[in-house]
DNA sequence: TATTGTTATACTCTATAACTATA
DNA sequence: TATAGTTATAGAGTATAACAATA
């Protein structure tokens, strides 16, 4: 009978690799984003807001898997630079509707253009096709799940 | 003449997606790793040490893209739990050779086994084949480049 | 009473710089 | 003089809890 070598290997997970690669990308990106007055977490937020025009802060926090309070500070930065706008929801005046401004969209496009060099360097071991595949898988994984769970919900095993 | 729609799209980058997905994975992983006395960054270090048996702290810092000083604290945690060992290099007594202990290897395997559920949840939008592809691409990207650059080196544009 | 956004505070992770020892 | 590891300190990023406005 043939051996089953796969069973003898530890079950290697993507988590640690994902952590490591994200860190490399973030460190390289920081210096590129600095002249644009942005930090990596700002870019993540802007990217989400582009795809989802008009989000409440709460919904944004869920998508980013950050606390509401953390998002407040993040949006303050972006609003101070007029990259996003907050307006009260007419239906529910407790809510703020957050929207990317034209200026914000332009800044984001500029940042993504500048980040091409960073991606080239960090993903230098991947060819063009592999990079495209990676992007598609990341997009599918990130948007497909749509986990509306914050850290607290995860820890408490709530269904969310 | 046919239009070139691709040119009209902003050049979307993987960086933000990578950040977001890594964050989701990390948040979920934390609660699973807690009973094992580990944190996500410990797992990243253990994973590297398994593949590269006998590394100096400096080399480990380069791979993890962390400062040497940060690695010291990280290894202190792991050594206190006897998951890694430090011994002086005979050739150069300034160096510490870091090695995964048997106990450390067992703990890592245990953690990776426990993290299967986390990966199932965070990558629920991906089927088995897609997850395997993602793992392979991440592994290739992370190990292929072998960027021996720390944050300082990146910022200063040194060749490293 | 529950929810949205906000503020104030504390904690974790990390980088920077100064120190020791070896080279 | 340069390098490996360590220590001490400061900064960024985040979560938690308490608060105000609204539902």
């Amino acid at each position: 009978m043939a051996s089953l070598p796969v069973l003898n290997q530890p079950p290697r997970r993507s988590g640690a690799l994902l952590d490591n690669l994200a860190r490399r990308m973030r460190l390289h990106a920081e210096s590129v984003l600095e002249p644009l007055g942005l930090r990596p977490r700002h870019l993540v937020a802007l990217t989400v807001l582009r795809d989802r025009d008009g989000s409440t802060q709460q919904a944004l926090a869920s998508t980013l898997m950050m606390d509401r309070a953390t998002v407040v500070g993040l949006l303050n930065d972006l609003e101070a630079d007029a990259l996003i706008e907050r307006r009260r929801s007419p239906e529910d005046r407790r809510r703020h509707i957050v929207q990317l401004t034209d200026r914000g969209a332009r800044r984001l496009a500029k940042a993504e253009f500048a980040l091409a060099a960073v991606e080239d360097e960090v993903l230098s071991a991947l060819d063009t096709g592999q990079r495209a595949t990676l992007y598609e898988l990341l997009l599918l994984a990130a948007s497909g799940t749509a986990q509306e769970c914050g850290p607290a919900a995860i820890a408490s095993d709530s269904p969310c």
Side-chain angles (χ1 to χ4, degrees), chain A residues 73-119:
Chain A
L74 210 168
L75 292 179
N76 286 348
D77 296 341
L78 296 174
E79 194 176 38
D81 205 359
L83 303 180
I84 61 111
E85 272 178 356
R86 281 191 260 223
R87 57 178 179 80
R88 286 278 167 201
S89 166
E91 294 94 21
D92 186 340
R93 287 188 50 72
R94 290 173 301 184
R95 292 178 172 166
H96 271 160
I97 307 294
V98 183
Q99 263 179 320
L100 200 63
T101 62
D102 287 346
R103 180 180 163 86
R106 284 196 301 271
R107 186 74 62 89
L108 174 57
K110 206 167 177 176
E112 285 178 319
F113 183 78
L115 286 170
V118 171
E119 209 162 280

Side-chain angles (χ1 to χ4, degrees), chain A residues 122-139:
Chain A
V122 176
L123 301 182
S124 63
L126 271 50
D127 62 36
T128 306
Q130 289 170 326
R131 288 180 207 185
T133 302
L134 178 63
Y135 176 80
E136 281 163 25
L137 289 175
L138 292 174
L139 186 64

